[in-house]
Amino acid sequence: MFNIDKDAFKKDYLKKFLELHGKELEKGTQQNKYETLGSLVRDYVAKAWIDTNKRYNQTGEKQVYYFSMEFLLGRLLGDALLNLGIRDVCKEALDELNIDLRELEEFEHDQGLGNGGLGRLAACFLDSMASLNIPGHGCGIRYKYGFFEQKIMNGAQVEAPDYWLKEGNVWEMKKPDKSEIVKFGGDVRVEAVNGRLSFTHINYEPVLAIPYDTPVVGYKNDVVNTLRLWSAEPVSNEFDFSSFSRGDFLKAIEYKNSVEAISHVLYPDDTFYEGKILRLKQQYFFVSAGIQSILRYFKDNGHNLMNLDDMLAIHINDTHPTLAIPELMRLLMDEEGMSWEDAWRITTNTVSYTNHTILAEALEKWPVDMFKKLLPRIYMIVEEINKRFCQDLWNKYIGQWDKISKMSIIGDGYVRMANLAIVGSHSVNGVAKLHTEILKKQEMKEFYYLYPRKFNNKTNGITHRRWLIKSNPELTSLLKDTIGEGWIKHPTDLENFARFSKDKLVLGKLAEIKNNNKKSLAKIIYDSNGIKVDPNSIFDVQVKRIHAYKRQTLNCLRIMDLYNRLIDNPDLDIVPRTFIFAGKAAPGYYLAKKTIELINAVGEKINNDKRIKDKIKVVYMENYRVSQAEDIIPATDVSEQISTTTKEASGTSNMKFMMNGAITVATLDGANVEIRDEVGDDNIIIFGLTEREVLNYYSKGGYSAWETCNSDSRLRRVTQDIINGYYSPDKDRFKTVFEHLLTYNDEFFVLKDFDSYVRAQDRVDNIYRDIDKWQSMAAINIAHSGVFSSDRTIQEYATGIWGSGYLYKNL
Ligand SMILES: *Cc1c(COP(=O)(O)O)cnc(C)c1O
């Protein structure tokens, strides 16, 4: 294992500083000092990185490639130090140089190449694969601009570009010698060569794909895996200014711009699909580059392609990388001369797919015309896959045209990516038990009947190294003092902490730790929002993407109601609460942006109303991102997981909160169900419609938002307050929110769940008054959070889907 002592570290640091900046340490800027530390850590990692690759080469272990359009890594320095096992040594050494390690860690810009849960899951998976000694690598896009930066101005979201590379990125290594060419457009020439059809792609536009590799450091195990992100550049000989006449010059510029656009920016839509051609280009770009480089490496190492499916696994994170299936087919057949049958067997055995949502608006489908024009050869292959698939269906389901046309990969003028992903892979998994069950019996039931053995569940997880050990050091110390360190390698050993759930001393410590974390957050809030919040109030938190199905509106309505109660009775006896929100809305999602405005308007009014004597405060923290989540979550008392039942596939922030001792207020949706199963009904607060009730309303109707509203005076009042000028002189400002609830009959049952939600919050208030009882519940939550470590999830993927890793070999 990597090791270094304090003095050696200090020496290395000073040497590196001089090397990079050529001046005295005292004259160095924070940027200089950060860069020095980052580069030094990268040097330490480099040797293990090379050794890991050598080892994989020698052992011929099965390699896993995790393809994802998003990797929401956040900051890397702190986690690299932690996983190398030198964070303490580093801190001590830097202290002696009068450098504050925390400040340097906070100097790092988040690597925000993802929207939310899906991208963060990919990041947690990389950490777990490396830490579990599984040869697993990420493949994605190196967007020049990450997820936009959110500013809140006059209570509304304003977007600014996130140029995260401005100050450089110490973690990436550009590898121009490992570039690939990706081909778009053009035609396919078909010829018979030696009695076999040959397909040649001609007149295409070439794009150079350049990889940038980032090391993924395993936890104290000398494993360093690779995250490979691709950047699009013009092919240089296509872009020679001097040799162009004026017309060609403009064409060359156009070419350059259109190529660079491919890796320019991350689409900011979460669980929403838009049929933009650039997005399809992005998908093919990184999938083609990734698979070409995998095959190149595979062949360079002398392996036989007929054994490909034994030696590597390709996993696709949602349907975004589904073109991996036809692209692998293309390479195996057109470039390697394999037969359709062999290529198909190998491809389907190699690829596996995770479904992330049942929201209809998220299902990707590409217009056939667009697809065919951009990817002519890939389209031919998809057509052939579909032809063979439908033939099988015709044989099985004679005369059942409706069923066949529903399952077809191409239909109604579209290529349906989920259908392609299911047909072309050997495993389809959902991300929580409830979600997988809904896939099997509702959304994908035809496919489930056809391929029952393909479907399986892999409940999501989070890395406890970042989300507990790194972000909550005080709780980590308490856990070490009480139950030792075994849980770090075996997170389910956190169960041992349940023994202390009645231990007054430990409960007191838990309360103290929470209070300290709340004080730190209060300071951050004061510095950023200028709002003074009381660390002794309940910190009640909803942080996640802003989306109608996640129901920030429900949270907002009950705050408005509570405010009304306080106005009507200023002596109302409640435990003071601080409501904390954070989250970004997709720039084109009008309702979500209006929801942000409403929350801010409600906050503005409440925070400045002297009558309620600071009993409640509302805070909207701008620019939600991984590093901010790491500040908020350890300081949270109440975790709001209130999506409409059936709509949140899993959720992962629910797990992060639980692990940090927050009490969850939740609907029985996604992984909340499994959290309830772990902690028991007494240690979570459940409310709202059940799955059955929701599915019934959707299939049979029978819900009237107007009736629900009219029969509840609280609802009448708060919904009127949205549009009567109470929260804004411009009465129309939040009209969209009102209309969504009433005019359009509240498709997410906000009003229907309101009463049940308010009662749930009253229970929170009651329980919190007995702080030992509350902390005892917190202890139980922490103790049962181990199964939600992504280490458990990844072990399940490795043994159940990929057939990889140490555990698999020892089965
Ligand atoms: C964990 C996380 C998410 C996912 O949150 P959910 O509440 O599960 O939707 C989104 N964004 C960031 C920055 C996260 O860390």
Side-chain angles (χ1 to χ4, degrees):
M1 202 178 82
F2 181 76
N3 213 343
I4 191 161
D5 67 31
K6 188 182 65 187
D7 291 326
F9 184 92
K10 242 165 78 178
K11 219 171 112 199
D12 285 355
Y13 185 86
L14 289 169
K15 180 159 169 268
K16 192 81 185 172
F17 187 91
L18 195 67
E19 216 175 276
L20 284 177
H21 306 297
K23 57 183 167 187
E24 296 151 76
L25 186 60
E26 295 71 40
K27 300 244 164 71
T29 61
Q30 208 67 328
Q31 163 74 20
N32 295 154
K33 291 174 191 168
Y34 162 76
E35 218 174 271
T36 304
L37 182 56
S39 311
L40 185 58
V41 172
R42 199 193 50 199
D43 290 352
Y44 290 157
V45 166
K47 188 176 172 313
W49 203 0
I50 293 167
D51 289 348
T52 301
N53 282 325
K54 262 196 207 143
R55 196 168 66 241
Y56 289 160
N57 235 323
Q58 283 160 2
T59 59
E61 272 182 89
K62 191 165 192 177
Q63 303 288 305
V64 176
Y65 297 94
Y66 193 85
F67 278 64
S68 178
M69 201 128 184
E70 306 186 4
F71 287 92
L72 191 52
L73 298 179
R75 293 174 178 145
L76 297 183
L77 177 59
D79 293 77
L81 287 169
L82 177 75
N83 285 5
L84 280 176
I86 59 167
R87 197 149 173 250
D88 294 337
V89 166
C90 170
K91 187 183 174 327
E92 286 163 24
L94 290 178
D95 275 345
E96 290 181 9
L97 296 171
N98 272 324
I99 298 172
D100 184 343
L101 173 61
R102 269 200 99 81
E103 276 176 23
L104 292 195
E105 286 180 359
E106 279 166 21
F107 187 83
E108 184 175 358
H109 196 99
D110 273 47
Q111 201 150 321
L113 307 185
N115 271 282
L118 175 146
R120 185 54 231 173
L121 185 77
C124 283
F125 280 7
L126 292 180
D127 184 69
S128 283
M129 287 191 287
S131 296
L132 292 174
N133 200 354
I134 290 170
H137 315 281
C139 179
I141 297 173
R142 179 182 180 269
Y143 302 103
K144 189 166 169 190
Y145 296 92
F147 195 24
F148 70 83
E149 254 181 57
Q150 178 197 54
K151 299 224 164 28
I152 303 292
M153 291 168 90
N154 301 320
Q157 167 173 299
V158 175
E159 300 98 22
D162 169 36
Y163 188 37
W164 65 290
L165 292 164
K166 190 170 53 203
E167 315 272 358
N169 172 8
V170 295
W171 305 111
E172 66 182 15
M173 301 272 250
K174 186 175 183 174
K175 302 270 175 70
D177 57 313
K178 301 216 158 108
S179 298
E180 299 288 347
I181 300 278
V182 179
K183 303 170 180 175
F184 292 101
D187 309 292
V188 179
R189 195 172 63 213
V190 188
E191 296 158 301
V193 180
N194 302 330
R196 190 192 140 101
L197 286 183
S198 120
F199 300 86
T200 316
H201 197 171
I202 52 173
N203 301 327
Y204 54 82
E205 182 181 84
V207 173
L208 187 65
I210 301 185
Y212 288 72
D213 289 354
T214 297
V216 181
V217 183
Y219 185 76
K220 298 185 182 175
N221 64 358
D222 284 334
V223 171
V224 180
N225 288 336
T226 302
L227 168 60
R228 176 162 284 184
L229 300 178
W230 297 91
S231 176
E233 289 192 16
V235 175
S236 58
N237 57 13
E238 306 276 321
F239 185 59
D240 180 357
F241 283 106
S242 58
S243 68
F244 283 109
S245 67
R246 186 173 156 70
D248 286 345
F249 176 78
L250 288 178
K251 239 169 126 181
I253 297 278
E254 261 174 43
Y255 165 67
K256 181 174 187 286
N257 288 340
S258 91
V259 165
E260 286 172 353
I262 295 172
S263 52
H264 211 67
V265 65
L266 166 80
Y267 277 95
D269 300 302
D270 194 48
T271 62
F272 185 79
Y273 148 84
E274 235 183 322
K276 294 267 169 64
I277 191 164
L278 182 59
R279 168 96 174 172
L280 183 59
K281 256 187 155 169
Q282 290 186 331
Q283 296 186 349
Y284 184 65
F285 168 73
F286 92 95
V287 157
S288 175
I291 294 195
Q292 287 186 66
S293 92
I294 290 167
L295 291 191
R296 190 180 307 281
Y297 179 76
F298 187 81
K299 288 194 298 177
D300 284 353
N301 286 323
H303 301 306
N304 182 344
L305 285 165
M306 294 303 274
N307 302 328
L308 189 84
D309 50 332
D310 285 334
M311 302 197 63
L312 63 89
I314 291 174
H315 197 89
I316 59 178
N317 193 22
D318 213 323
T319 56
H320 319 143
T322 302
L323 294 173
I325 293 162
E327 176 66 0
L328 184 54
M329 290 292 289
R330 180 185 75 82
L331 290 165
L332 293 179
M333 295 188 303
D334 297 2
E335 309 283 327
E336 306 296 340
M338 220 179 252
S339 70
W340 178 280
E341 289 72 20
D342 284 340
W344 183 244
R345 189 189 65 251
I346 288 169
T347 298
T348 51
N349 281 340
T350 302
V351 178
S352 47
Y353 153 60
T354 297
N355 172 282
H356 277 271
T357 174
I358 60 159
L359 295 177
E361 63 268 32
L363 276 190
E364 290 195 298
K365 51 187 183 133
W366 298 102
V368 163
D369 292 341
M370 181 201 282
F371 193 112
K372 208 186 214 166
K373 201 159 169 231
L374 187 68
L375 307 168
R377 177 60 185 140
I378 293 297
Y379 184 74
M380 292 170 80
I381 293 170
V382 172
E383 234 179 356
E384 182 66 22
I385 293 172
N386 191 44
K387 201 182 98 195
R388 290 171 186 240
F389 174 60
C390 287
Q391 219 135 44
D392 284 351
L393 292 181
W394 285 323
N395 297 335
K396 272 204 182 71
Y397 305 126
I398 298 163
Q400 298 183 48
W401 299 105
D402 282 357
K403 187 174 185 137
I404 294 167
S405 69
K406 197 172 166 207
M407 296 173 81
S408 176
I409 295 165
I410 302 171
D412 303 324
Y414 289 95
V415 180
R416 299 163 178 162
M417 301 299 263
N419 297 22
L420 178 56
I422 298 169
V423 174
S425 64
H426 64 92
S427 167
V428 178
N429 75 282
V431 289
K433 283 178 189 161
L434 177 71
H435 169 62
T436 301
E437 285 311 305
I438 294 174
L439 288 181
K440 293 202 288 197
K441 65 181 194 232
Q442 301 262 333
E443 305 304 310
M444 297 181 165
K445 63 169 183 253
E446 291 83 6
F447 286 104
Y448 176 56
Y449 284 124
L450 183 64
Y451 307 123
R453 283 145 48 99
K454 277 195 194 186
F455 284 77
N456 63 91
N457 176 249
K458 298 287 171 279
T459 299
N460 281 167
I462 53 158
T463 167
H464 58 292
R465 287 167 290 275
R466 178 180 294 256
W467 295 108
L468 173 55
I469 300 171
K470 176 166 155 269
S471 63
N472 201 340
E474 285 193 45
L475 178 56
T476 302
S477 299
L478 177 65
L479 289 167
K480 285 183 183 169
D481 292 347
T482 47
I483 61 170
E485 303 199 0
W487 59 274
I488 295 175
K489 285 261 177 191
H490 304 283
T492 46
D493 286 357
L494 282 169
E495 302 235 354
N496 295 327
F497 192 59
R499 282 208 313 275
F500 296 90
S501 66
K502 296 276 181 295
D503 182 322
K504 295 255 181 205
L505 198 74
V506 170
L507 298 182
K509 280 256 163 59
L510 269 183
E512 188 188 323
I513 291 165
K514 186 63 81 180
N515 202 255
N516 289 341
N517 292 336
K518 285 161 77 175
K519 281 184 192 150
S520 307
L521 182 61
K523 183 173 180 316
I524 293 173
I525 289 173
Y526 185 72
D527 291 345
S528 59
N529 294 48
I531 301 171
K532 279 211 166 94
V533 302
D534 177 5
N536 294 312
S537 63
I538 296 174
F539 278 21
D540 179 328
V541 177
Q542 188 175 18
V543 292
K544 49 184 77 246
R545 287 301 294 267
I546 310 300
H547 202 295
Y549 87 82
K550 291 180 183 276
R551 300 201 297 189
Q552 279 89 2
T553 316
L554 176 58
N555 193 348
C556 190
L557 291 182
R558 66 98 186 201
I559 294 170
M560 292 159 70
D561 175 56
L562 180 58
Y563 177 48
N564 288 341
R565 279 155 76 189
L566 284 165
I567 295 294
D568 294 349
N569 174 13
D571 295 326
L572 185 73
D573 180 23
I574 60 161
V575 181
R577 265 203 224 204
T578 302
F579 301 99
I580 297 168
F581 290 87
K584 296 174 186 174
Y589 190 176
Y590 189 71
L591 174 63
K593 293 176 103 172
K594 284 293 170 183
T595 304
I596 295 176
E597 285 185 48
L598 178 61
I599 295 165
N600 277 296
V602 168
E604 183 71 21
K605 193 164 173 81
I606 289 178
N607 297 344
N608 295 302
D609 191 332
K610 295 277 177 293
R611 291 173 296 176
I612 60 168
K613 302 176 192 137
D614 289 338
K615 279 185 182 162
I616 57 175
K617 286 264 152 86
V618 182
V619 175
Y620 202 105
M621 297 182 74
E622 69 183 8
N623 203 29
Y624 187 53
R625 60 199 184 281
V626 172
S627 59
Q628 190 186 61
E630 289 175 50
D631 291 332
I632 295 174
I633 291 168
T636 296
D637 295 307
V638 177
S639 158
E640 299 284 347
Q641 307 300 336
I642 61 176
S643 54
T644 307
T645 301
T646 73
K647 296 293 181 185
E648 187 77 271
S650 164
T652 47
S653 77
N654 44 4
M655 303 165 184
K656 301 168 194 164
F657 282 111
M658 169 198 197
M659 195 175 270
N660 283 275
I663 305 304
T664 312
V665 172
T667 49
L668 281 177
D669 197 17
N672 301 343
V673 179
E674 288 158 74
I675 293 178
R676 193 269 321 257
D677 293 346
E678 289 295 327
V679 302
D681 285 308
D682 293 342
N683 296 298
I684 186 168
I685 293 167
I686 299 293
F687 76 98
L689 293 172
T690 61
E691 176 208 5
R692 188 193 295 259
E693 288 167 325
V694 168
L695 293 178
N696 248 317
Y697 277 131
Y698 281 133
S699 63
K700 304 204 176 86
Y703 171 54
S704 163
W706 282 109
E707 267 172 39
T708 304
C709 182
N710 282 328
S711 63
D712 186 329
S713 60
R714 299 166 302 179
L715 276 177
R716 280 203 305 274
R717 188 166 164 192
V718 291
T719 52
Q720 279 308 308
D721 286 348
I722 296 176
I723 50 161
N724 64 10
Y726 194 59
Y727 290 106
S728 165
D730 172 7
K731 291 185 182 176
D732 286 341
R733 188 167 181 200
F734 313 119
K735 206 168 104 198
T736 301
V737 177
F738 178 87
E739 286 176 346
H740 193 261
L741 291 174
L742 287 152
T743 318
Y744 301 113
N745 205 36
D746 184 18
E747 68 167 304
F748 296 112
F749 307 107
V750 171
L751 303 180
K752 187 77 195 166
D753 275 345
F754 176 81
D755 176 63
S756 159
Y757 184 52
V758 170
R759 282 186 284 121
Q761 295 295 351
D762 288 343
R763 278 169 60 205
V764 166
D765 190 279
N766 267 322
I767 299 169
Y768 197 85
R769 286 161 198 265
D770 179 352
I771 196 66
D772 273 351
K773 161 89 181 128
W774 184 270
Q775 291 304 340
S776 164
M777 289 169 69
I780 298 282
N781 271 272
I782 296 164
H784 291 92
S785 66
V787 291
F788 298 106
S789 165
S790 45
D791 287 5
R792 187 269 312 149
T793 314
I794 282 297
Q795 256 159 29
E796 291 179 0
Y797 274 85
T799 55
I801 300 177
W802 302 327
S804 70
Y806 171 80
L807 268 146
Y808 180 77
K809 281 171 282 179
N810 287 283
L811 267 185

